[in-house]
Amino acid sequence: MNARQKNTTEYNFAYLDEDTKRMIRRALLKAVAIPGYQVPFASREMPMPYGWGTGGVQVTAACLTPDDVLKVIDQGADDTTNAVSIRKFFQRTADVAVTEATQDATIIQTRHRIPEAALTEGQILVFQVPIPEPLRFLEPRETETRKMHELEEYGLMHVKLYEDIAKHGQIATAYAYPVKVEGRYVMDPSPIPKFDNPKLSGNPALMLFGAGREQRIYALPPHTNVVSLDFEDHPFEASKANHNCDICGAGDTYLDEVITDDQGSRMFVCSDTDHCRIRQEA
Amino acid sequence: MQPLLQVKDIRKTYGPRIGCTDVSFDLYPGEVMGIVGESGSGKSTLLSCLAGHAQPDTGAVIFDGRDTVTMPEPERRMLARTDWAYVHQNPRDGLRMGVSAGGNVGERLMAVGARNYGTIRDTATDWLGRVEINADRIDDRPSQFSGGMQQRLQIARNLVTGPRLVFMDEPTGGLDVSVQARLLDLLRGLVRRMGLSAIIVTHDLAVVRLLADRLMVMKGGHVVEQGLTDQVLDDPQHAYTQLLVSSVLQV
Amino acid sequence: MYVAVKGGERAIENAHAYLGEQRRGDPGVAELGTDQIEQQLSLAVNRVMAEGSLYDPALAALAIKQSRGDLIEAIFLIRAYRTTLPRLGASIPVDTARMECIRRVSATFKDVPGGQILGPTFDYTHRLLDFALMAEGEAPVAPRKPAEPAHVPHVTGFLGDLIQPEDSSDTEPRDLTREPLELPADRALRLQSLTRGDEGFILGLAYSTQRGYARNHAFVGELRIGTVAVEMDIPELGFSVEIGEVELTECETVNQFKGSKTEPPQFTRGYGLTFGQTERKAISMALVDRALRWRELGEDYVGAPAQDEEFVLSHADNIQATGFLEHIKLPHYVDFQSELELVRRMREAAE
């Protein structure tokens, strides 16, 4: 038994073996070359559950170098349990420096948010993606949706938006709001609130998307043109709660609503905890 | 005048069995071609080959100067949502049952780039009117419609983008006789007013009598007779056509 | 003043400590050894090996202990370990005709060369709780007879050309664990997916075929359990050597015949092969394999779940399923907040 026991030091840098990383990097290169296109990759079984960021973790592992500074957020916050868990995983397996400061990070792994602070050239933002296929809930079959992408048959996507307006008077998609990349591929930006969608376009950082369970990787290279789908007379709107942050006073950030007592009193606070902290300290 | 569609030597087999063979004809703009025959005559196989749903073993289907049999799939699909339309026998095959009537009509518009909700909705309303569906049903799903209404909705959904060629597979099949008559009347009006070119497959001679300029009679995968509709129906030459016509007249 | 929730790291550490305590249970009760699990909960060990895709009873026992007996969790541990192991090479295909059977039954022939062997089966036990097991008892001893090296040919072999032949091919199948699943999948990939698929899911699908959702009239042509030698080609030696043996369960079903005017009627087959003594799984696998072969056998697709390759292969894996299912308990308040705002706005617009 003892001969084959593995402790963390026996794992390769950032857990994955070099062959696997090479395979993932090849997929990443292809993804960068065809922005918005979902590249199949042989996702490995990670020591954390599918649906908990295995895709993002594999992408991060394939990008990490010993000199990197890693930030991990979930729901915009560095201290949410799954962010803590993933950060710890890379500290253990790659011994990299970690940070909560957005501007200090070279790689940011995120679930459901894009940081408020503007990202800069050279930074990599890695998204955890549960369902990479933007057409999935309109058409459950992968064989069919791949063909729809191939043939650029996206009428159905707008039918969904049409139905929303006909039924609700407005487009009833609040997160994972579909976008079109460089006028070609329709892409799921992962379940970020649509508030974050404008940050996808023309961003100087490299954005990588990893879906472990669904075995897909896709990417937005720096300065890619990304358009949120809409109608001329029902334009896309990056909405948020109509409040300011009750802690830092910011009026331009995405807010969490917190229920503070049994009477249902509420307050609104920045979901990006690092951004809020910096504003408080200023 | 240049033909809109040139069909040359289409042949399709299923193993040793012949689906259809040696089919050639030209279709001119504004012309309606009827294809009649009993089930198993090869008329549906032929329609599938013409509309690009099945790959013929040999032959060419030249639309607007381009062979649609050999063109790449993306181009053929583009044709299918712009210049072509296809009306299925069963409206369930041609409609999105989970999408409202307005969404069904609007889909083809959106597929070719319409991005103004108001315009799409106005166009859908207009088309519902043209196929005699009340504007207040626009947000209802087809599953709440009768069979005849579903078929009319399917026709609206197909014609909304002004296609140049419409394929119809037994468009009145499966409907009550009175509903059939109304639908035929409607179709005739649309075809004449829009100057549509169409290929209609049916086993019902009344349908072609009313809609088709020319007629092709098929049996066992072969075309046994073709000509002007009135000519073929009033003075059938081939024994099989004679049988077909007489069997109807006796009803 | 409100302070954002902090302390995720401590919460996790405390949760892990609590979990460890719960796993051990009452320290007054003797701790369970992994060797006890391996020996006395061997069918659980077998399932973990089969669905974990790793033949290692000791590690499977450890995983069961660590997971407090949650077998899907144990399978998960094994899979996560397996993925880090170096691939030294592939064995040559095992020869199940040379299996040393401890169980072998055929439902299609009363007797067959090699004989019917019931083996260690629950089949004819009366399902009455044996309260004697609550007390420590003597080790039961089964009667034995001297082993005779038996040749145990496959029962379906006796059917000759009455059963549809399988293509034999030496091309190396694709590896589901090293390449992304792309559809349509060939049979080798389907069988890989089924053999590591969730027992309950495969069982449910198989049962559905029996109840008419793509019924294919299966008989168990043969079910055998036993050990086979694993051999590997050693390039330096130029021949293969035995590197160990594994216990396997193999099931071949004889199914509804096909035929046409030009082809004589023939029985068809489904196939199941699983690690360990896992016969429920192997039989289920054979039925689902058979249902998935409708296209190749010229049958109609009747829309049954067990015929739908994309549906079956996308949902058979319990590690994928449980991960995605359980991820909805992770924080989603950003998404939820955006929907909350949307619903409020829509209600405002409606008023």
Side-chain angles (χ1 to χ4, degrees):
Chain A
M1 265 311 290
N2 284 330
R4 65 179 169 209
Q5 266 172 0
K6 284 198 173 195
N7 59 45
T8 49
T9 57
E10 280 177 327
Y11 285 105
N12 195 32
F13 176 77
Y15 181 76
L16 293 175
D17 58 277
E18 292 304 313
D19 280 347
T20 298
K21 286 189 202 170
R22 210 166 297 138
M23 175 273 293
I24 294 171
R25 287 179 197 136
R26 271 198 294 270
L28 286 169
L29 284 176
K30 184 167 181 183
V32 167
I34 318 171
Y37 170 75
Q38 298 169 50
V39 182
F41 82 111
S43 175
R44 295 292 187 255
E45 295 179 295
M46 301 297 287
M48 59 194 65
Y50 284 116
W52 297 54
T54 55
V57 165
Q58 289 180 79
V59 170
T60 299
C63 293
L64 266 186
T65 65
D67 300 331
D68 270 311
V69 180
L70 179 70
K71 171 182 166 84
V72 183
I73 50 173
D74 188 336
Q75 314 296 299
D78 300 87
D79 201 42
T80 32
T81 42
N82 204 42
V84 168
S85 167
I86 290 173
R87 186 164 56 235
K88 216 168 170 183
F89 175 75
F90 282 115
Q91 283 177 288
R92 272 174 64 176
T93 58
D95 195 28
V96 288
V98 296
T99 182
E100 296 193 0
T102 300
Q103 77 274 11
D104 294 343
T106 55
I107 298 182
I108 304 171
Q109 179 166 336
T110 180
R111 177 167 168 262
H112 296 188
R113 275 311 309 276
I114 298 176
E116 303 289 356
L119 301 176
T120 54
E121 215 137 305
Q123 285 185 306
I124 300 176
L125 186 61
V126 178
F127 293 79
Q128 301 174 205
V129 182
I131 301 274
E133 178 49 71
L135 303 163
R136 178 61 65 240
F137 300 111
L138 303 168
E139 169 54 61
R141 276 177 201 283
E142 178 68 15
T143 38
E144 188 53 34
T145 52
R146 281 195 82 76
K147 185 161 257 182
M148 290 162 81
H149 285 292
E150 178 190 336
L151 303 174
E152 233 178 314
E153 286 192 345
Y154 292 132
L156 193 57
M157 196 80 236
H158 265 89
V159 170
K160 197 261 170 201
L161 303 181
Y162 169 95
E163 293 285 286
D164 274 1
I165 303 173
K167 206 182 294 173
H168 304 293
Q170 54 186 291
I171 295 171
T173 300
Y175 61 90
Y177 192 104
V179 296
K180 197 162 197 179
V181 180
E182 289 290 344
R184 177 56 180 90
Y185 285 100
V186 167
M187 185 190 99
D188 184 328
S190 87
I192 56 172
K194 65 179 181 176
F195 175 82
D196 283 339
N197 269 28
K199 299 176 198 162
L200 295 166
S201 192
N203 200 307
L206 169 63
M207 302 198 182
L208 304 175
F209 297 79
R213 193 178 39 79
E214 299 277 343
Q215 308 186 312
R216 294 290 182 273
I217 280 173
Y218 52 103
L220 296 174
H223 307 291
T224 300
N225 180 32
V226 178
V227 177
S228 302
L229 301 181
D230 63 0
F231 289 105
E232 293 155 8
D233 46 349
H234 285 266
F236 169 82
E237 198 190 339
S239 59
K240 61 180 273 286
N242 195 15
H243 293 270
N244 293 340
C245 173
D246 285 317
I247 296 176
C248 76
D252 58 352
T253 59
Y254 193 75
L255 301 172
D256 288 339
E257 182 173 339
V258 184
I259 298 170
T260 51
D261 60 30
D262 290 353
Q263 280 69 54
S265 304
R266 287 165 159 74
M267 61 185 297
F268 290 85
V269 298
C270 288
S271 107
D272 184 336
T273 48
D274 176 59
H275 185 74
C276 197
R277 178 185 57 80
I278 289 171
R279 285 180 50 84
Q280 290 168 65
E281 288 168 5
Chain B
M1 194 169 29
Q2 282 292 318
L4 182 67
L5 190 77
Q6 291 171 279
V7 177
K8 294 182 176 173
D9 294 326
I10 289 296
R11 175 183 172 86
K12 171 80 179 169
T13 53
Y14 300 99
R17 197 165 60 76
I18 292 173
C20 61
T21 187
D22 296 330
V23 182
S24 299
F25 67 90
D26 288 347
L27 185 78
Y28 286 87
E31 202 179 19
V32 177
M33 166 72 85
I35 304 174
V36 295
E38 59 197 8
S39 48
S41 63
K43 59 187 195 304
S44 294
T45 299
L46 176 60
L47 191 73
S48 297
C49 289
L50 300 183
H53 297 176
Q55 178 83 19
D57 303 339
T58 59
V61 178
I62 296 164
F63 178 78
D64 228 5
R66 292 187 300 157
D67 184 2
T68 63
V69 173
T70 52
M71 74 169 48
E73 171 93 2
E75 283 179 44
R76 195 162 43 237
R77 287 231 191 175
M78 177 57 101
L79 259 190
R81 58 182 195 258
T82 53
D83 281 342
W84 286 6
Y86 193 101
V87 177
H88 294 261
Q89 172 174 7
N90 185 345
R92 290 179 167 271
D93 296 334
L95 292 172
R96 291 197 188 276
M97 298 305 283
V99 167
S100 70
N104 263 292
V105 179
E107 179 171 357
R108 268 177 82 102
L109 296 168
M110 292 183 259
V112 294
R115 291 294 178 265
N116 187 295
Y117 176 81
T119 312
I120 293 164
R121 203 160 165 87
D122 290 346
T123 311
T125 310
D126 175 50
W127 266 96
L128 290 182
R130 292 204 219 179
V131 297
E132 300 167 13
I133 295 173
N134 270 339
D136 63 3
R137 304 297 303 271
I138 190 168
D139 293 331
D140 292 344
R141 294 183 175 192
S143 49
Q144 295 164 275
F145 289 1
S146 68
M149 276 174 82
Q150 287 180 0
Q151 195 56 297
R152 298 203 301 278
L153 179 62
Q154 192 195 180
I155 288 163
R157 168 181 160 92
N158 270 285
L159 299 188
V160 64
T161 47
R164 294 160 66 199
L165 175 60
V166 185
F167 300 97
M168 297 190 210
D169 183 13
E170 302 274 10
T172 58
L175 297 175
D176 293 342
V177 176
S178 62
V179 178
Q180 276 186 19
R182 185 177 169 198
L183 186 74
L184 273 178
D185 213 36
L186 180 87
L187 267 178
R188 185 166 65 162
L190 288 170
V191 164
R192 294 290 175 260
R193 231 173 303 129
M194 297 177 72
L196 283 179
S197 311
I199 296 174
I200 302 178
V201 158
T202 181
H203 68 278
D204 185 347
L205 294 187
V207 171
V208 286
R209 171 81 81 180
L210 210 58
L211 292 176
D213 305 305
R214 281 198 298 146
L215 197 58
M216 239 163 57
V217 183
M218 292 190 70
K219 184 179 192 321
H222 294 264
V223 177
V224 295
E225 184 163 1
Q226 59 176 318
L228 295 173
T229 304
D230 292 343
Q231 208 172 33
V232 174
L233 292 184
D234 296 341
D235 184 18
Q237 300 297 308
H238 192 278
Y240 176 69
T241 318
Q242 289 166 357
L243 182 75
L244 212 64
V245 171
S246 65
S247 66
V248 172
L249 291 180
Q250 283 158 10
V251 172
Chain C
M1 157 100 188
Y2 172 79
V3 181
V5 189
K6 285 264 174 191
E9 190 153 358
R10 244 219 354 258
I12 291 177
E13 277 164 18
N14 290 342
H16 289 175
Y18 195 9
L19 174 69
E21 195 180 297
Q22 290 263 308
R23 182 190 56 70
R24 176 60 182 87
D26 181 355
V29 175
E31 182 168 0
L32 192 56
T34 55
D35 52 345
Q36 290 174 306
I37 296 172
E38 192 182 329
Q39 292 302 315
Q40 296 173 38
L41 296 177
S42 53
L43 295 188
V45 168
N46 286 177
R47 180 173 173 195
V48 170
M49 293 197 302
E51 293 171 37
S53 299
L54 184 70
Y55 195 91
D56 191 324
L59 281 187
L62 169 63
I64 291 167
K65 177 172 177 174
Q66 188 179 332
S67 65
R68 305 172 64 192
D70 179 338
L71 294 191
I72 290 185
E73 184 67 27
I75 292 161
F76 189 4
L77 290 168
I78 291 299
R79 291 267 195 97
Y81 177 81
R82 176 191 193 275
T83 197
T84 66
L85 297 175
R87 292 336 191 233
L88 299 177
S91 73
I92 62 175
V94 293
D95 184 357
T96 53
R98 284 164 53 203
M99 180 185 277
E100 274 184 47
C101 294
I102 58 165
R103 170 162 166 78
R104 192 255 197 152
V105 292
S106 169
T108 50
F109 294 100
K110 186 170 182 183
D111 203 0
V112 281
Q116 303 251 25
I117 308 165
L118 275 182
T121 176
F122 290 121
D123 281 355
Y124 305 102
T125 60
H126 296 142
R127 268 59 170 204
L128 304 172
L129 280 173
D130 180 0
F131 293 99
L133 289 177
M134 290 182 86
E136 285 180 39
E138 308 243 310
V141 180
R144 45 198 78 212
K145 70 171 186 176
E148 42 190 291
H151 173 65
V152 190
H154 278 115
V155 171
T156 48
F158 300 118
L159 289 169
D161 66 356
L162 289 179
I163 191 160
Q164 142 245 357
E166 299 295 343
D167 293 334
S168 69
S169 160
D170 280 331
T171 50
E172 197 167 316
R174 296 171 57 192
D175 182 346
L176 188 65
T177 68
R178 310 306 278 180
E179 292 171 55
L181 174 65
E182 286 185 67
L183 300 166
D186 59 19
R187 188 162 177 236
L189 270 186
R190 293 199 305 246
L191 289 170
Q192 283 176 55
S193 170
L194 292 176
T195 193
R196 68 195 325 240
D198 182 73
E199 179 177 309
F201 180 78
I202 309 293
L203 169 66
L205 283 173
Y207 178 46
S208 75
T209 68
Q210 291 184 291
R211 290 195 64 260
Y213 291 82
R215 178 150 187 247
N216 52 46
H217 310 267
F219 301 105
V220 170
E222 182 174 1
L223 174 74
R224 55 169 68 188
I225 301 177
T227 47
V228 296
V230 178
E231 292 177 42
M232 225 177 129
D233 274 328
I234 306 295
E236 289 84 348
L237 300 179
F239 53 87
S240 67
V241 293
E242 186 176 327
I243 56 171
E245 53 182 29
V246 294
E247 187 177 40
L248 297 176
T249 303
E250 182 185 53
C251 176
E252 275 196 289
T253 54
V254 176
N255 298 68
Q256 186 174 50
F257 45 85
K258 63 160 192 168
S260 64
K261 279 192 183 128
T262 52
E263 284 178 274
Q266 276 188 320
F267 289 105
T268 59
R269 61 179 123 201
Y271 186 71
L273 184 71
T274 48
F275 279 154
Q277 300 180 28
T278 41
E279 66 180 64
R280 183 185 300 121
K281 173 69 175 288
I283 300 168
S284 301
M285 177 177 168
L287 262 59
V288 178
D289 168 49
R290 176 60 187 79
L292 287 171
R293 302 182 74 184
W294 61 271
R295 201 189 305 266
E296 147 200 9
L297 297 173
E299 295 171 334
D300 287 335
Y301 176 70
V302 298
Q307 286 181 304
D308 186 336
E309 169 185 286
E310 183 163 348
F311 179 81
V312 174
L313 267 52
S314 304
H315 302 114
D317 190 287
N318 53 23
I319 302 308
Q320 290 177 359
T322 199
F324 197 56
L325 181 103
E326 295 195 40
H327 107 284
I328 60 175
K329 69 195 174 192
L330 282 179
H332 278 82
Y333 35 79
V334 163
D335 302 355
F336 182 70
Q337 183 66 31
S338 62
E339 291 221 313
L340 201 57
E341 293 300 328
L342 179 69
V343 170
R344 283 183 182 139
R345 202 161 325 118
M346 290 195 298
R347 287 174 66 119
E348 269 168 33
E351 274 162 19

